[in-house]
Amino acid sequence: SSLTTVYRLSTAPAVSVGFGGEETNHENWVKRHVLRGHDLDVVSVAWSPSERTVVTASLDSRSPLCVWDLSPGAPTVLSPSRTLGRAEHPCGCKGVAFDPTGSYFASTCDTPSLAVWSSLTMSPCAEAKDCFTGTQDLTMFRRLDWSPDGSTVSCTNCVVAGRSCATILGREGLRTLANLVGHKSAVCASRYSPDMFDFGAGQYGVYLASADKRGFVTVWSNKESRPVFKLQASARKLAVTDLSWKSDVLAISCLDGSVACVKFDLPDRLGPEARRKVFKDKYGSAGGVRNIDAMRMRAKEPKADESPVLPQKAAVVPSPVKNHEDVLRLQ
């Protein structure tokens, strides 16, 4: 659909699923906003960390990206506050994601290219194309994501040496830091866990899930050079449409309408104070920054023992997976 609907979780009693049915919903969601501005299907939605701004990506070349203001008091039916991306995404946009502090958002398309936008000025400030060289297979989605510390961006439907992969770009200059090889078909979705994990000795780590058009999902850790988990989520080998993390659970939706939830044993998460320290050390702020200069793309280079990016040798990952039950275990 070209429309985007925003729902609010209501505290009112749950209602019946259908007319005359006895089953009730566990949660009661009510319609809050309808966003009208695209002419073709909306394929990606990103919320800002402040939850007051939404950016939608559409196959519509006239309005590839629409920005919506959902501040308190916003009307039920909304028109976009800004329309972006006609020059950057002339064939429409297939993915959008916010920087964890809300200072930037990134978008990507089949052109192929990735653009980074300032959420303060709503203007493009960086672009990457090299990581998409050789891309031939089209995907309905290109779900990119920012790492939880803002240091890297994961790009989908990339190719290296003729092999499908997800590519990790660094914040500074959008340089390629790693190519996550292992999928046999085009990678269409990638999601970082929103948490940072305590690996001891003052080091933290992150987890990233990538998925492809044949329903295979791979989970990576920046502390391992090999994938720590693999799963065929779709028995019919249909495309994964999206991924979502919640604490230690990864939800996987597929084109056949199925949703799989995988629960992992993960290291302890960094607490609020430790997270604030990470942001302060990297950007001179404890997070929630609204000053664009404080969260500039040229962040400080991470120290060798705290690098959040996956190792460069991940570009040559072989297909067999080691047993990493001490790090990650499917339950």
Side-chain angles (χ1 to χ4, degrees), residues 8-87:
R8 173 178 58 84
L9 181 60
S10 174
T11 57
V15 297
S16 173
V17 172
F19 179 77
E22 297 181 357
E23 184 180 358
T24 57
N25 288 317
H26 293 286
E27 298 177 335
N28 187 16
W29 292 86
V30 295
K31 186 183 296 185
R32 182 65 185 88
H33 300 288
V34 176
L35 314 182
R36 298 177 180 270
H38 294 291
D39 292 333
L40 295 176
D41 289 349
V42 174
V43 293
S44 186
V45 177
W47 285 84
S48 70
S50 69
E51 299 184 354
R52 295 192 173 193
T53 302
V54 169
V55 179
T56 54
S58 170
L59 303 178
D60 177 13
S61 61
R62 186 185 66 84
S63 50
L65 289 167
C66 285
V67 181
W68 314 84
D69 182 4
L70 298 187
S71 299
T76 302
V77 179
L78 279 171
S79 297
S81 58
R82 298 288 295 270
T83 298
L84 309 172
R86 292 181 184 177

Side-chain angles (χ1 to χ4, degrees), residues 16-325:
S16 173
V17 172
F19 179 77
E22 297 181 357
E23 184 180 358
T24 57
N25 288 317
H26 293 286
E27 298 177 335
N28 187 16
W29 292 86
V30 295
K31 186 183 296 185
R32 182 65 185 88
H33 300 288
V34 176
L35 314 182
R36 298 177 180 270
H38 294 291
D39 292 333
L40 295 176
D41 289 349
V42 174
V43 293
S44 186
V45 177
W47 285 84
S48 70
S50 69
E51 299 184 354
R52 295 192 173 193
T53 302
V54 169
V55 179
T56 54
S58 170
L59 303 178
D60 177 13
S61 61
R62 186 185 66 84
S63 50
L65 289 167
C66 285
V67 181
W68 314 84
D69 182 4
L70 298 187
S71 299
T76 302
V77 179
L78 279 171
S79 297
S81 58
R82 298 288 295 270
T83 298
L84 309 172
R86 292 181 184 177
E88 292 77 11
H89 305 310
C91 299
C93 186
K94 291 190 173 182
V96 62
F98 262 96
D99 170 75
T101 64
S103 297
Y104 298 96
F105 59 91
S107 59
T108 187
C109 66
D110 282 335
T111 306
S113 66
L114 176 140
V116 177
W117 306 77
S118 163
S119 58
L120 183 65
T121 64
M122 292 298 168
S123 59
C125 54
E127 185 179 45
K129 292 184 177 181
D130 293 345
C131 58
F132 301 106
T133 301
T135 299
Q136 296 179 343
D137 199 1
L138 295 181
T139 59
M140 183 63 179
F141 310 102
R142 285 175 174 260
R143 304 210 186 277
L144 71 166
D145 202 15
W146 288 83
S147 63
D149 62 356
S151 293
T152 58
V153 180
S154 62
C155 301
T156 55
N157 203 4
C158 300
V159 175
V160 58
R163 304 172 68 185
S164 297
C165 68
T167 294
I168 307 301
L169 302 180
R171 185 187 190 92
E172 182 172 1
L174 296 181
R175 294 177 292 108
T176 297
L177 301 177
N179 294 302
L180 308 186
V181 176
H183 291 278
K184 294 183 179 179
S185 60
V187 178
C188 53
S190 65
R191 295 291 185 200
Y192 280 99
S193 166
D195 296 309
M196 292 179 273
F197 297 89
D198 186 359
F199 278 76
Q203 298 187 43
Y204 69 91
V206 297
Y207 288 96
L208 170 71
S210 59
D212 62 31
K213 288 180 64 175
R214 297 180 62 194
F216 287 89
V217 178
T218 304
V219 177
W220 309 79
S221 165
N222 67 319
K223 298 302 180 182
E224 300 283 345
S225 61
R226 297 170 179 265
V228 295
F229 179 75
K230 278 189 173 184
L231 168 72
Q232 184 178 342
S234 172
R236 298 169 60 188
K237 294 187 177 181
L238 296 178
V240 170
T241 56
D242 207 351
L243 302 163
S244 180
W245 289 89
K246 175 64 175 179
S247 186
D248 57 352
V249 175
L250 173 65
I252 309 161
S253 63
C254 298
L255 198 60
D256 58 8
S258 64
V259 176
C261 292
V262 185
K263 184 177 176 62
F264 300 103
D265 281 343
L266 299 175
D268 293 335
R269 290 175 289 173
L270 292 189
E273 285 297 325
R275 288 180 64 97
R276 280 193 284 269
K277 184 178 185 303
V278 169
F279 280 97
K280 188 173 183 180
D281 289 346
K282 287 184 174 297
Y283 311 112
S285 173
V289 182
R290 293 295 172 266
N291 182 349
I292 205 70
D293 292 329
M295 280 297 293
R296 60 192 183 278
M297 292 296 293
R298 287 188 167 273
K300 292 194 306 181
E301 287 280 36
K303 298 177 182 178
D305 62 349
E306 66 177 19
S307 174
V309 303
L310 287 98
Q312 185 65 32
K313 60 182 178 180
V316 290
V317 172
S319 56
V321 182
K322 287 184 177 179
N323 183 4
H324 294 293
E325 292 187 355

